[in-house]
Amino acid sequence: MYRKFLNARSPLRLLEKGLHGGLGPGNLGIVVAGHGVGKASFLVGVALDELLRSGRVLHVSMAHPVSHIRDHYDTVFAELAATAHLEGEARLHVDIDRNRSIRVYPKNEFTPAKLREAVKVESETAGQPSMLLIEGLDFETISREDLADFKALAGELAAEVWMSVSYSKEQIAKLPASVERVADLVSVALALEPGDDAVLLRALKDHDNPNLTELHVALDPRTLLLTRH
Amino acid sequence: MIHDLRTIRNIGISAHIDSGKTTLTERILFYTGRIHAIHEVKGKDEVGATMDSMELERERGITIQSAATHTIWDGHHINIIDTPGHVDFTIEVERALRVLDGAVLVLCGVAGVQSQSMTVDRQMRRYKVPRMAFINKLDRSGANPARVTEQLREKLNHNAVLMQLPIGLEANFKGVIDLIAMKAIYFEGENGEHVVSNEIPEEMRDEAEVARESMLDAVSMFSDELMEAILEETVTEELIHEAVRKGTLSMDLTPVFLGSAYKNKGVQKLLDAVKLYLPSPLDGENTGVDLSNNEAPLTLASDPNKPTVALAFKLEDGRYGQLTYVRVYQGELKKGGTIINSRTKKKHKVGRLVRMHADSMEDIESSASGDIVALFGIDCASGDTFTDESVQISMTSMHVPDPVISIAIKPVDKKTVDNMGKALGRFVREDPTFRTRVDPESNETVISGMGELHLDVYVERMKREYGCEVETGAPQVAYRETISQRADFNYTHKKQTGGSGQFGRVAGHIEPMEDGGEDFEFVSEIKGGAIPTEYIPAVEKGFLQCMAKGRLIGFPVIGVRVVVDDGKSHSVDSSEMAFQAAGRGAFREAYPRAKPIVLEPVMKLEVEGPVEHQGAILKTIMQRRGTVIGTTESSGMSRIESEVPLSEMFGYATDLRSMTQGTAEFTMEFARYLPAPAEVQKELKEEFSSKIVDDDE
């Protein structure tokens, strides 16, 4: 399969449809899940989709070392390429590596200022990111000002910013309290919930739409790929 | 033989060049009575420090080769492995670290934590070597031990705790306050040999009390007993020593000591600390692999009654002949005993067993597990394991990186060719990352190693130690060729030149191997004897001959599977030689159709430097066709991991230095082969074609 067909058939298109156009540039999106359910795989899936559509991704982590995150991308991409019989896999892999930056910080050292600094360096050397992923941010302690600053940066870059939020339970009925208090800054919130054979994506917040629709997207725990469900 | 293993300390002294570790080692040997006079590094007296046994090292004032020396301090046997300080000699550092139980990290009191300190520290962490720090050069202008301790915490993530306070600094540096004994320590006499303990000067008493309290706070984390004693105000020196030792051994605490080796201050207290806090061979766990049980890992016991296991970690071909430095991990080595090399299975008689001082030796009768000694006249390679005949054990294989750079060398004076051969033979045995070969085409000798400086040093050593000056060619990258698609062949080799002829036909296909690995695979699917079984290996040999030198740019071909499924032979004219020729012809026929491409070696490059220079560092990588994998930021430092083609890495050290004002450092090792970009392939093909034309002319 060629890249453009893969992009057209990506389950992310379905997700965008379910979210009335997707997250959108300049917005903050969060994915909430229990420990080990698949937040990182969701972020990698979203990032690979952006990379395959010629975007640039800056992946910030406070949870894992660089090698771990790179391995995660390699594994998911290899699976995606094999499943879709992707043409020109080797060349695409090189492109993906070149257009993705991974940055790792200790939890107590990461601030919006650090992110701005990183974006500046990246923009001057490799290129301006069109998507930012922030993994391992502590929503319990983050200040409203800091989150507003992340959102402002998303706006300045016209980039989508996805963040992962850990939750202590597997079933997530509503926005966790740590997110609820800053819900006005978050445009999209998704929950990942383990089902019988897949991890299901469910919208907890979709911009200002009061009626949340079903997303029909899941995460396959065996392949770590996002799939139609 | 040392019977009480608790009294052995195998330590390394590691640091950045110019931190003064050679001077420190020299002073240690002086105070422990192993040498009777002090010489300076880069000595005005032209003698040079004792541990720097090589002329080159003397001249540069740096230590390149690790040498082991034994000394005794307060009833404790201290084996000092002097580790090299430059990044290009990583294998030397790593080999030395393998045999160490603990280390002293020497830091310059003025320059503080420098880039090389970070590399060495990272290596020590990897090998789980507990360490303490010695902040040296406190007599120098600008010395600031508090700042250096802070850097140890921030840049190296050590839980660094000052165990002393300086009495005066720079030109007024007089001695140290021992925060455990709460005494002022002075080093008197012409060479500071008299350690005098006095009351703390009145004006420093408050400062010392505060420092002691903060030291106790940190140290008490490792001992509940000490914590209780602090609350009950019944703290004893022994309780503090125990807690410091516990924290040091678990690598959760780095006690920091102060001094100026050059001014003969602080060294004896450091030796006390080595004795008190660094591990003995009994404190660590050493593992080997059982060769008789499918290389299953096994733990070695520091027990002299168990079968002998010893690791040769260093060879030296000095004035006394070949010396092999070994660490005994289990059992004992005895003069007159027999040992067996686990790799070669060769037996050796232990003719002489010696303890080494830097430039002299002492004969001993036996050596127990945990000790470091040297064997005489044993032919082996660095990294070999020796055992007695009862077991087949090898020490866990050490990671030896592949060489990444080659240069051709030619003696300036042809009379010195023999010396060059001797020198190369020795270097190859000493250093597993150094390789040598003769290029069959140019007949030139080619040496390969881990970096430009690595090879430079060997070229210089050839000149100095063997009187052989060599001219060097341009650095050469180890390219490879591979195929990108399947291609069929059906080739008949037929020759009739009077007498019996030559005949062989082979048919099949070549195809890329899935992993693109270095392996070559030959698959015979011949049925019904189309090619007689005895000639099939000849066909494979024919292919292999061609794989050694590709037809695209003249480099070895990798990642090819050859499948032979048909052929023909002749009862009289077929021979091994004919089928070899048929194999070669088949390869030549199929190779161009299999769309061969050039692969270039890509290095994993890790650069560490201050955050403010990360933009500059990233630029140096981008300019070299590099791909940045990721950046880790912590405590004001960034570590950038990337992959960069080796061909772009020449002169990188100089560029990086100038782009970052010398604040960044890098390490690199081979990562993988990747297809070279089209323009690079084109250039290499043109270069190769022009060479062929030149040769033809």
Side-chain angles (χ1 to χ4, degrees), chain B residues 482-497:
Chain B
T482 193
I483 53 173
S484 53
Q485 65 177 37
R486 174 187 157 133
D488 293 341
F489 56 80
N490 184 355
Y491 184 84
T492 306
H493 174 72
K494 199 160 135 186
K495 223 169 187 181
Q496 197 71 53
T497 50

mmCIF file of all heavy atoms in Angstrom, chain B residues 482-497:
data_model
loop_
_atom_site.group_PDB
_atom_site.id
_atom_site.type_symbol
_atom_site.label_atom_id
_atom_site.label_comp_id
_atom_site.label_asym_id
_atom_site.label_seq_id
_atom_site.Cartn_x
_atom_site.Cartn_y
_atom_site.Cartn_z
ATOM 1 N N THR B 482 25.653 -4.039 -1.175
ATOM 2 C CA THR B 482 24.643 -5.084 -1.026
ATOM 3 C C THR B 482 23.723 -5.034 -2.246
ATOM 4 O O THR B 482 23.857 -4.135 -3.094
ATOM 5 C CB THR B 482 23.833 -4.936 0.273
ATOM 6 O OG1 THR B 482 23.099 -6.149 0.493
ATOM 7 C CG2 THR B 482 22.850 -3.769 0.220
ATOM 8 N N ILE B 483 22.823 -5.995 -2.353
ATOM 9 C CA ILE B 483 21.913 -5.991 -3.496
ATOM 10 C C ILE B 483 20.523 -5.591 -3.020
ATOM 11 O O ILE B 483 20.191 -5.766 -1.851
ATOM 12 C CB ILE B 483 21.869 -7.366 -4.189
ATOM 13 C CG1 ILE B 483 21.551 -8.479 -3.173
ATOM 14 C CG2 ILE B 483 23.191 -7.652 -4.892
ATOM 15 C CD1 ILE B 483 21.319 -9.826 -3.804
ATOM 16 N N SER B 484 19.739 -5.032 -3.942
ATOM 17 C CA SER B 484 18.426 -4.578 -3.507
ATOM 18 C C SER B 484 17.286 -5.383 -4.123
ATOM 19 O O SER B 484 16.128 -5.144 -3.809
ATOM 20 C CB SER B 484 18.256 -3.089 -3.799
ATOM 21 O OG SER B 484 18.529 -2.826 -5.143
ATOM 22 N N GLN B 485 17.588 -6.292 -5.042
ATOM 23 C CA GLN B 485 16.502 -7.140 -5.565
ATOM 24 C C GLN B 485 17.047 -8.492 -6.030
ATOM 25 O O GLN B 485 18.262 -8.678 -6.139
ATOM 26 C CB GLN B 485 15.789 -6.434 -6.715
ATOM 27 C CG GLN B 485 16.670 -6.215 -7.928
ATOM 28 C CD GLN B 485 15.910 -5.563 -9.082
ATOM 29 O OE1 GLN B 485 15.062 -4.720 -8.848
ATOM 30 N NE2 GLN B 485 16.233 -5.942 -10.301
ATOM 31 N N ARG B 486 16.146 -9.395 -6.290
ATOM 32 C CA ARG B 486 16.529 -10.738 -6.717
ATOM 33 C C ARG B 486 17.002 -10.697 -8.165
ATOM 34 O O ARG B 486 16.503 -9.918 -8.980
ATOM 35 C CB ARG B 486 15.303 -11.658 -6.574
ATOM 36 C CG ARG B 486 15.500 -13.046 -7.106
ATOM 37 C CD ARG B 486 14.178 -13.815 -7.084
ATOM 38 N NE ARG B 486 14.265 -14.883 -8.078
ATOM 39 C CZ ARG B 486 13.899 -16.135 -7.826
ATOM 40 N NH1 ARG B 486 13.401 -16.482 -6.665
ATOM 41 N NH2 ARG B 486 13.991 -17.071 -8.765
ATOM 42 N N ALA B 487 17.974 -11.540 -8.492
ATOM 43 C CA ALA B 487 18.406 -11.681 -9.898
ATOM 44 C C ALA B 487 18.804 -13.133 -10.149
ATOM 45 O O ALA B 487 19.424 -13.774 -9.293
ATOM 46 C CB ALA B 487 19.570 -10.747 -10.183
ATOM 47 N N ASP B 488 18.421 -13.638 -11.300
ATOM 48 C CA ASP B 488 18.730 -15.036 -11.648
ATOM 49 C C ASP B 488 20.092 -15.131 -12.320
ATOM 50 O O ASP B 488 20.585 -14.152 -12.892
ATOM 51 C CB ASP B 488 17.659 -15.578 -12.604
ATOM 52 C CG ASP B 488 16.303 -15.686 -11.912
ATOM 53 O OD1 ASP B 488 16.295 -15.693 -10.654
ATOM 54 O OD2 ASP B 488 15.271 -15.722 -12.608
ATOM 55 N N PHE B 489 20.685 -16.311 -12.243
ATOM 56 C CA PHE B 489 21.910 -16.563 -13.004
ATOM 57 C C PHE B 489 21.830 -17.960 -13.610
ATOM 58 O O PHE B 489 21.147 -18.845 -13.086
ATOM 59 C CB PHE B 489 23.171 -16.395 -12.139
ATOM 60 C CG PHE B 489 23.194 -17.242 -10.895
ATOM 61 C CD1 PHE B 489 23.543 -18.591 -10.947
ATOM 62 C CD2 PHE B 489 22.870 -16.691 -9.658
ATOM 63 C CE1 PHE B 489 23.566 -19.372 -9.806
ATOM 64 C CE2 PHE B 489 22.878 -17.467 -8.502
ATOM 65 C CZ PHE B 489 23.223 -18.809 -8.580
ATOM 66 N N ASN B 490 22.527 -18.103 -14.701
ATOM 67 C CA ASN B 490 22.644 -19.408 -15.354
ATOM 68 C C ASN B 490 23.946 -19.337 -16.127
ATOM 69 O O ASN B 490 24.000 -18.863 -17.252
ATOM 70 C CB ASN B 490 21.441 -19.633 -16.281
ATOM 71 C CG ASN B 490 21.490 -21.024 -16.900
ATOM 72 O OD1 ASN B 490 22.464 -21.771 -16.704
ATOM 73 N ND2 ASN B 490 20.461 -21.373 -17.655
ATOM 74 N N TYR B 491 25.004 -19.742 -15.517
ATOM 75 C CA TYR B 491 26.321 -19.491 -16.078
ATOM 76 C C TYR B 491 27.056 -20.808 -16.339
ATOM 77 O O TYR B 491 27.080 -21.708 -15.490
ATOM 78 C CB TYR B 491 27.141 -18.623 -15.112
ATOM 79 C CG TYR B 491 28.488 -18.228 -15.656
ATOM 80 C CD1 TYR B 491 28.625 -17.129 -16.497
ATOM 81 C CD2 TYR B 491 29.627 -18.972 -15.335
ATOM 82 C CE1 TYR B 491 29.865 -16.773 -17.007
ATOM 83 C CE2 TYR B 491 30.863 -18.620 -15.849
ATOM 84 C CZ TYR B 491 30.975 -17.515 -16.674
ATOM 85 O OH TYR B 491 32.200 -17.173 -17.187
ATOM 86 N N THR B 492 27.668 -20.869 -17.490
ATOM 87 C CA THR B 492 28.468 -22.054 -17.823
ATOM 88 C C THR B 492 29.924 -21.649 -17.978
ATOM 89 O O THR B 492 30.241 -20.719 -18.730
ATOM 90 C CB THR B 492 27.976 -22.684 -19.145
ATOM 91 O OG1 THR B 492 26.574 -22.932 -19.017
ATOM 92 C CG2 THR B 492 28.711 -23.974 -19.436
ATOM 93 N N HIS B 493 30.755 -22.300 -17.232
ATOM 94 C CA HIS B 493 32.196 -22.057 -17.378
ATOM 95 C C HIS B 493 32.740 -23.200 -18.237
ATOM 96 O O HIS B 493 32.623 -24.381 -17.895
ATOM 97 C CB HIS B 493 32.870 -22.046 -16.005
ATOM 98 C CG HIS B 493 34.358 -21.939 -16.086
ATOM 99 N ND1 HIS B 493 35.000 -20.781 -16.460
ATOM 100 C CD2 HIS B 493 35.335 -22.853 -15.855
ATOM 101 C CE1 HIS B 493 36.311 -20.981 -16.452
ATOM 102 N NE2 HIS B 493 36.534 -22.245 -16.093
ATOM 103 N N LYS B 494 33.353 -22.850 -19.348
ATOM 104 C CA LYS B 494 33.790 -23.860 -20.308
ATOM 105 C C LYS B 494 35.117 -23.400 -20.894
ATOM 106 O O LYS B 494 35.242 -22.247 -21.342
ATOM 107 C CB LYS B 494 32.730 -23.936 -21.412
ATOM 108 C CG LYS B 494 32.751 -25.186 -22.221
ATOM 109 C CD LYS B 494 31.385 -25.300 -22.882
ATOM 110 C CE LYS B 494 31.447 -25.676 -24.334
ATOM 111 N NZ LYS B 494 30.130 -25.631 -24.957
ATOM 112 N N LYS B 495 36.100 -24.248 -20.817
ATOM 113 C CA LYS B 495 37.400 -23.853 -21.354
ATOM 114 C C LYS B 495 38.059 -25.100 -21.936
ATOM 115 O O LYS B 495 38.086 -26.156 -21.298
ATOM 116 C CB LYS B 495 38.264 -23.286 -20.227
ATOM 117 C CG LYS B 495 39.010 -22.034 -20.627
ATOM 118 C CD LYS B 495 39.616 -21.392 -19.408
ATOM 119 C CE LYS B 495 40.207 -20.053 -19.783
ATOM 120 N NZ LYS B 495 40.812 -19.413 -18.637
ATOM 121 N N GLN B 496 38.590 -24.987 -23.115
ATOM 122 C CA GLN B 496 39.257 -26.130 -23.748
ATOM 123 C C GLN B 496 40.575 -25.627 -24.301
ATOM 124 O O GLN B 496 40.602 -24.915 -25.289
ATOM 125 C CB GLN B 496 38.371 -26.689 -24.850
ATOM 126 C CG GLN B 496 38.753 -28.087 -25.279
ATOM 127 C CD GLN B 496 38.412 -29.129 -24.208
ATOM 128 O OE1 GLN B 496 37.290 -29.189 -23.755
ATOM 129 N NE2 GLN B 496 39.399 -29.931 -23.797
ATOM 130 N N THR B 497 41.634 -25.874 -23.585
ATOM 131 C CA THR B 497 42.922 -25.344 -24.064
ATOM 132 C C THR B 497 43.943 -26.471 -24.187
ATOM 133 O O THR B 497 45.060 -26.375 -23.716
ATOM 134 C CB THR B 497 43.471 -24.282 -23.091
ATOM 135 O OG1 THR B 497 43.415 -24.845 -21.787
ATOM 136 C CG2 THR B 497 42.716 -22.980 -23.164
#
